[in-house]
Amino acid sequence: MKKIIFILLLLTSFATYASNKPSTYDICVYGESASGVITAIQSGRLGKKVVLISKNTHVGGLVTSGLTATDMNRNDMVGGLTREYYQRLYTYYLQPQVWVNQNRDEFFVKSLKRTYKGRNEERKMQWVYESKVAEKIMMDMLKEANVEVLFNERLKLKGGVKKNGKQIAGIEMESGKVIQAKVFVDATYEGDLMAKSGVSYFVGREANDQYGETLNGYRINYEKGADLSQVDPYIIEGNKKSGLLPYIDKKAPSKQGAKDKKVQAYTYRMTLTDDPANRIKIQKPANYNVLLYEVLLRHIKLNPSIELQKIITLTPMPNRKTDTNHLDFFGASYDYAEANYEQRKQIEQLHKDYALGMLWFLEHDPRVPEHIRKELSDWGLPKDEFVDTENFPNHIYVREARRMQGEYVMIEKNVAKEDRKAAEHGIGLGSYALDCHYVSKVLDNEGKLRYEGTIFRPTTPYPISYYAITPKKKEVTNLLVPICLSSSHVAYSSIRMEPVYMILGQSAAVAAAMAIDNNVAVQDISYTDLATKLEGLNQIIKTP
């Protein structure tokens, strides 16, 4: 018996050793976002041994989880691997058999107004699609590039990053798996690897005077967005003693543009369908709280003829589906960036309940105008999307979390249309408007209810600096950060679009390979050589 016990202990020890034995790569991409996928694919195409780590069983982040009405106002500014991805989508949807309940031409007539036409015939690109199709294409591209993908792995938040001086030597997952690499890329929306590596970062909004900006900080919207000034903010209308409705700030800061720790509203970009053969009717969530929609209801009562599309947007996607936007939960996202995994799970559940609850409310609450209830009654969850997460998107829309404070900070004047000071050392272009969703609801100095925080200001294409994705050299020398990059809140409101993240991911991969090949810090590679290599890969890094 003693001998058997000894053998079992020996086998257990060996198994533990084997499971904890470090796996070694050239490049480790932490984060399954579309940016992470493109980073990994380019790394593999450059002949590097690369691993992509996903916290769930999927790849693509928001790009394959409901955000399918791509924010691409200038498709001519999208090159390289990102363009190739959208070209593969175009080719897929040329097949008549994939249009199961509508035809291609009929669809593109419907999608014209909200998706910048949704396709470009000259460049053979398409940027409106179904989530399941997008993920299949990404998985194919990863396989072609010989990328190893680890699913259901998350960074151990306490002590999970092992450093040797200023270099990350390895990272440990919650499972005990250890990953070693020469260069790491944090391609998460939250920036966990960056933060746990000792890199400087910021959460929230800087004061306007920090970078000489005009659109930063706390901003009550007196002109932008819906007017709530006639909406009573109290639980019982006219009765202050009844207390404010949920998620309303009692008092605004003393001045506009003040620094705070708040971030713009998160949401889920839900996919809906009006195809009866593919539709699951939305059920009332177990944690339904009708008071969360009382401000909306009172706003609707003041505007009884308001259309559903003015409340939420149902942008047409192929095969009678939608990208459903503006189910934003104002005030519920502030703690997400710095939260642990369990706390994030709770915040995600809040947002899921809010989104499903809002749709149920708009369809079933008898106080909602009949024309809205009737229109929404045609819609439901698609049976053929997100089949392993109850037909609900597998990723919350993190519009903004941590932002690195790196070697270069992208700020308002780098992206603004007027009086621009263009960033040097470009590795890709941004072009979307400065676009920040509402951050909070607040009572102004007169006691009137206001939305707060929104920005929308068109711009023109601008370069994003390589040194905005590198940490300060004194902090970490082998890490690149293409999503939680170094930027002010204002500049990030434009940069934060998925095609831009993807472009920056490809550029990060090329830079990582150069740092490995030349045995130098990521901050010390030759920008001239990097630019040459990127242009050779059809990346667009200069403004027209």
Side-chain angles (χ1 to χ4, degrees):
M1 181 61 69
K2 288 183 179 179
K3 189 176 289 186
I4 292 172
I5 293 172
F6 175 76
I7 291 171
L8 287 173
L9 288 171
L10 192 64
L11 289 172
T12 302
S13 298
F14 178 78
T16 302
Y17 168 77
S19 64
N20 290 330
K21 185 179 180 182
S23 299
T24 303
Y25 301 87
D26 294 317
I27 299 172
C28 170
V29 183
Y30 182 68
E32 73 285 351
S33 64
S35 180
V37 170
I38 294 296
T39 304
I41 292 168
Q42 183 61 75
S43 299
R45 289 187 182 185
L46 292 172
K48 301 305 179 188
K49 184 181 180 184
V50 57
V51 63
L52 174 66
I53 301 176
S54 170
K55 69 173 178 291
N56 52 31
T57 60
H58 296 279
V59 297
L62 266 295
V63 171
T64 61
S65 192
L67 205 172
T68 53
T70 310
D71 295 312
M72 192 190 298
N73 62 321
R74 290 289 301 269
N75 66 82
D76 58 324
M77 296 292 99
V78 175
L81 260 179
T82 308
R83 177 180 289 186
E84 179 186 329
Y85 162 73
Y86 291 113
Q87 287 174 331
R88 290 196 184 206
L89 282 168
Y90 177 94
T91 300
Y92 174 87
Y93 282 106
L94 285 177
Q95 303 174 87
Q97 67 270 24
V98 307
W99 296 91
V100 296
N101 52 22
Q102 67 180 152
N103 65 54
R104 185 171 183 264
D105 293 336
E106 170 191 311
F107 165 72
F108 278 107
V109 169
K110 285 187 174 182
S111 74
L112 280 177
K113 291 184 179 180
R114 292 202 54 82
T115 58
Y116 304 100
K117 299 184 178 180
R119 63 177 175 178
N120 182 280
E121 297 288 0
E122 179 186 353
R123 298 181 185 90
K124 300 189 184 306
M125 298 168 65
Q126 181 172 326
W127 49 91
V128 288
Y129 53 85
E130 298 159 277
S131 290
K132 63 178 184 179
V133 173
E135 185 165 16
K136 172 65 167 58
I137 289 173
M138 286 189 175
M139 287 300 300
D140 288 345
M141 294 175 74
L142 287 164
K143 186 176 180 181
E144 292 164 12
N146 296 314
V147 174
E148 181 179 348
V149 184
L150 299 180
F151 293 108
N152 290 318
E153 294 283 0
R154 297 188 304 195
L155 179 69
K156 182 181 174 183
L157 292 180
K158 292 187 178 180
V161 178
K162 315 297 182 184
K163 289 180 72 175
N164 182 8
K166 298 174 187 176
Q167 280 203 319
I168 301 173
I171 58 176
E172 183 180 352
M173 303 294 104
E174 287 184 312
S175 66
K177 184 181 287 292
V178 176
I179 305 296
Q180 295 179 337
K182 296 172 184 174
V183 175
F184 291 82
V185 178
D186 185 338
T188 64
Y189 294 106
E190 300 86 3
D192 286 340
L193 176 56
M194 171 197 73
K196 302 305 178 182
S197 300
V199 173
S200 301
Y201 65 88
F202 187 76
V203 178
R205 297 176 287 188
E206 300 90 351
N208 267 325
D209 56 11
Q210 181 167 341
Y211 295 118
E213 297 177 308
T214 64
L215 300 173
N216 217 328
Y218 201 100
R219 298 173 50 77
I220 294 179
N221 298 119
Y222 293 104
E223 298 175 359
K224 292 280 186 185
D227 182 7
L228 299 181
S229 60
Q230 301 305 309
V231 173
D232 191 296
Y234 297 99
I235 294 174
I236 300 174
E237 292 187 76
N239 184 349
K240 291 185 178 181
K241 291 183 179 179
S242 66
L244 289 170
L245 288 164
Y247 293 94
I248 294 177
D249 292 349
K250 190 173 184 179
K251 187 176 182 182
S254 58
K255 66 174 184 177
Q256 295 275 75
K259 172 183 175 180
D260 69 8
K261 289 291 185 180
K262 296 180 178 179
V263 297
Q264 59 182 305
Y266 292 5
T267 189
Y268 277 94
R269 292 289 281 259
M270 292 179 62
T271 301
L272 301 179
T273 181
D274 65 350
D275 179 0
N278 192 35
R279 182 181 62 201
I280 303 169
K281 291 300 293 178
I282 291 168
Q283 302 301 308
K284 184 178 181 180
N287 296 319
Y288 181 75
N289 179 1
V290 71
L291 284 180
L292 294 176
Y293 315 107
E294 188 65 24
V295 168
L296 171 60
L297 178 66
R298 294 176 189 180
H299 177 64
I300 292 173
K301 283 183 175 179
L302 292 170
N303 304 273
S305 62
I306 190 171
E307 297 177 357
L308 178 62
Q309 288 279 33
K310 296 292 185 181
I311 301 170
I312 59 175
T313 52
L314 291 84
T315 304
M317 292 296 112
N319 288 313
R320 292 176 63 175
K321 296 174 186 174
T322 69
D323 175 335
T324 307
N325 197 8
H326 297 107
L327 297 165
D328 296 0
F329 194 171
F330 316 118
S333 57
Y334 305 153
D335 297 330
Y336 189 86
E338 300 276 40
N340 61 35
Y341 296 134
E342 184 56 37
Q343 291 166 334
R344 285 180 187 166
K345 184 178 179 181
Q346 293 169 8
I347 295 170
E348 289 163 3
Q349 186 65 48
L350 274 176
H351 283 78
K352 179 178 180 179
D353 290 340
Y354 182 89
L356 290 170
M358 183 170 170
L359 292 173
W360 194 91
F361 163 79
L362 289 171
E363 181 180 350
H364 295 282
D365 196 302
R367 299 171 296 171
V368 174
E370 184 180 0
H371 69 277
I372 293 175
R373 287 185 279 131
K374 186 175 185 302
E375 183 176 353
L376 200 52
S377 68
D378 291 334
W379 297 93
L381 303 177
K383 295 177 183 177
D384 63 343
E385 295 280 4
F386 318 119
V387 294
D388 61 339
T389 51
E390 300 178 324
N391 311 101
F392 191 87
N394 56 62
H395 210 298
I396 191 171
Y397 191 178
V398 179
R399 288 191 170 105
E400 180 178 17
R402 297 180 177 104
R403 299 190 309 279
M404 179 170 66
Q405 294 177 316
E407 288 284 357
Y408 185 90
V409 181
M410 294 289 296
I411 59 174
E412 184 177 329
K413 67 182 178 182
N414 298 140
V415 305
K417 191 174 181 179
E418 294 83 18
D419 300 320
R420 174 180 296 166
K421 181 180 179 182
E424 298 178 346
H425 310 108
I427 53 169
L429 302 180
S431 63
Y432 203 77
L434 282 72
D435 180 14
C436 179
H437 284 235
Y438 296 126
V439 176
S440 64
K441 298 189 291 282
V442 63
L443 296 189
D444 67 14
N445 292 332
E446 297 178 2
K448 292 182 177 180
L449 185 61
R450 304 281 185 181
Y451 279 128
E452 182 276 322
T454 195
I455 303 169
F456 193 86
R457 185 172 293 183
T459 188
T460 55
Y462 56 87
I464 299 167
S465 173
Y466 170 63
Y467 299 103
I469 71 168
T470 68
K472 295 172 183 175
K473 189 178 177 183
K474 66 183 181 181
E475 294 176 343
V476 181
T477 58
N478 64 335
L479 174 68
L480 293 165
V481 186
I483 291 183
C484 295
L485 73 163
S486 182
S487 169
S488 73
H489 163 73
V490 178
Y492 198 78
S493 72
S494 171
I495 294 169
R496 67 178 183 86
M497 305 304 158
E498 292 291 334
V500 177
Y501 290 157
M502 294 162 73
I503 289 166
L504 296 178
Q506 180 178 14
S507 296
V510 176
M514 288 178 60
I516 292 169
D517 293 344
N518 294 289
N519 195 27
V520 296
V522 294
Q523 295 88 352
D524 291 338
I525 65 169
S526 165
Y527 171 75
T528 302
D529 291 346
L530 174 61
T532 300
K533 290 179 185 294
L534 293 177
E535 289 176 332
L537 293 167
N538 298 314
Q539 191 80 294
I540 300 171
I541 62 175
K542 296 176 182 176
T543 53

